[in-house]
Amino acid sequence: MKVLYNDGHVDECPAEEELHVIRHSAAHIMAQAIKRLYPEADFAYGPATDNGFYYDVDLGDKKISEEDFPAIEAEMKKICKENLKFTVFEKSREEAVALMEERGEKYKVEHIGDLADDARITFYQQGEYIDMCVGPHLCYTKALKAFKLTGTSGAYWKGDKDNKMLTRINGVAFATKEELEEHLHMIEEAKKRDHRKIGREMDLFMMRDEAPGFPFFLPNGMILKNTLLDYWREIHHKAGYVEISTPLIMNKQLWKTSGHWDHYKDNMYSTVIDDEEYCIKPMNCPGGVLVYASKPHSYRELPIRAGEIGLVHRHELRGALHGLFRVRCFNQDDAHLFVRPDQLTDEIVGVVNLIDSVYQKFGFKYHVELSTRPDDSMGSDEDWERAEEGLKTALNELGMDYEVNEGDGAFYGPKIDFHLEDSLGRTWQCGTVQLDFQMPINFNLEYTDADGTKKRPIMLHRVCFGSVERFIGILIEHYAGKFPTWLAPVQVDVLPVSEKSRDYAHQVADKLDAAGIRVKVDDRDEKIGYKIREARSIDRVPYMLILGEKEVEAGNISVRDRSGETVQRSVDEFIADITAEISERRS
RNA sequence: GCCCGUGUAGCUCAGUAGGUAGAGCACUUCGUUGGUAACGAAGAGGUCACCGGUUCGAAUCCGGUCGCGGGCUCCA
């Protein structure tokens, strides 16, 4: 595919960049269409995205909603059909400002002001539409063949909540109509995996208007949660962790000492007890610190790795709430490590490896970010530099790829974040390792070193799942509710064909139950096809036992797995196999 | 918190021009004893999110509140 670069030359585009160019050009063509239909439209940023593009636009008093999409798409198609030629030209800063002012593009004028002094300022033009852009772009509008507008939303100018909110119009674009159709179909399929939908169908959890952002876990969801925590306890015990539990409510003075009151109070719930102010913990660390500080420590004891499944409450903005992914109370699979400086890198590496092993267990794709010092932070520059260096050293030692997320660290220290994908490809922060010099200072934590002097330990905060609730949401979408047997709330559904095999079904189920298998009997007065349908599409059980007169007579069972394959087996054989599958936590 | 959209039975959704509500599934009962993705019939179930306004009359129109959805901001 030939594209137009911003120095004016036309060249073959590297294959891996083609879609990006198509999508970016689609944004320009959409802007042109909108400008034709809404002359007052003032455009801000309009980049390509993973599957498409968007343009942020200020429409003054006018509004664009999805109802207007057919008209905009029709105009875009018309522009494509006109087969306008893309051209490019460069301007000096003054000329650029003059051009954009003349065309009433105030956001572009502001953007020019933000560009580096030596930046080349180039403009792409197709037909009457001119846009400041570094390109490259398609050569002709006809080269855009497959696109669709997908929605509108609000977006702050330059991503700053103190700025004006613009209208963002999103679209998707592909090289061919077939790929576009395939993508739209994929999105439809992905929506069926939504954890909110599956959570309801499988009776895992529920939300109520009476408690927005505070999930209710139902019996099936509790099995899932507890099974995950059993796994967590096992691997943490092996990795040398101990477990503690600290109070949900602690007095306000503690949160002042920790720094939470100064840096996090907008997110904290509080209450009054005996006329004194108390806070509901938004994080577990101060509790963990009090446990450490409760007695003297020797250098020989370190590192101390104290785990805590801690329920935290945070006042999240209601517009941010999202199923189990963003809630107002959640369990962190937390741990605080108190380490000597010479142990730091090894401990970070150990934590990162532990998190990686958990994600591999479930087959998750993830990416890593190193988040650095935020504006609102505590502590000295030197400590922050040391801390950021410490995390980088560990990541480099592991040979791990990571992005740097400037200014996104915790107020007490920088962090390594692990981001997992949901069914629609949105990413959510789950695991994190945070390095903290501040909390040990604020609480005057010490250990006695080999030479008898008092030293300050370094503190690591870390989670693997992150939020157990969020992790469960990701798991539900990852497996589309078809959990591996060890996690499945119902592992075996026993389906008698008729009343004649009902007693036998209960006998078999009792035997499985005695072997510790999570089993259910569907002895309703329904036909076998109906029961199978429900067991696979609603309960999503790994195994069904189909028991009719044939099995009663033979004294065996028919085992139907998720693929629909059915085999005749003895009950004992089946119990032996499924027990092994569960205890090995096979995926 | 901000922008847009939205809120009718447990779930998925109809409800045309304002005249106090419907379907399918689920549920209950009865019949049916059925062999690998929906057996038949009957019944029960809703102050149409909430508050206020317009109107002789509001699920329907208007305002506010709350919830939910897609984003932004923020975050595990």
Side-chain angles (χ1 to χ4, degrees), chain A residues 157-218:
Chain A
W157 165 233
K158 292 189 200 169
D160 186 334
K161 68 178 187 316
D162 296 325
N163 285 341
K164 181 168 186 183
M165 180 155 272
L166 309 171
T167 303
R168 175 167 297 180
I169 300 166
N170 293 285
V172 291
F174 287 85
T176 63
K177 288 206 168 65
E178 291 70 31
E179 285 166 82
L180 175 65
E181 287 306 318
E182 198 181 318
H183 174 259
L184 295 175
H185 178 71
M186 199 269 292
I187 296 289
E188 286 311 305
E189 288 302 306
K191 283 182 184 161
K192 294 181 188 163
R193 298 210 306 270
D194 191 311
H195 73 281
R196 294 165 294 193
K197 177 175 180 289
I198 292 177
R200 191 164 45 233
E201 289 173 357
M202 293 180 73
D203 284 329
L204 298 173
F205 67 93
M206 65 176 198
M207 292 296 192
R208 296 238 88 207
D209 290 356
E210 289 86 341
F214 302 95
F216 292 65
F217 271 73
L218 305 176

Side-chain angles (χ1 to χ4, degrees), chain A residues 1-4 13-30 46-54 76 80 86 126 135-148 171-177 179-180:
Chain A
M1 186 179 85
K2 293 232 188 298
V3 304
L4 173 63
C13 167
E16 66 275 14
E17 286 168 27
E18 281 186 7
L19 274 173
H20 187 87
V21 175
I22 289 170
R23 287 163 182 161
H24 193 178
S25 299
H28 280 222
I29 289 168
M30 177 174 77
T49 60
D50 280 352
N51 290 308
F53 57 91
Y54 66 78
M76 288 173 73
C80 294
F86 278 86
Q126 79 271 15
H137 278 286
L138 300 171
C139 293
Y140 292 92
T141 55
K142 208 173 193 170
L144 176 63
K145 293 184 164 60
F147 66 87
K148 181 173 167 49
V172 291
F174 287 85
T176 63
K177 288 206 168 65
E179 285 166 82
L180 175 65

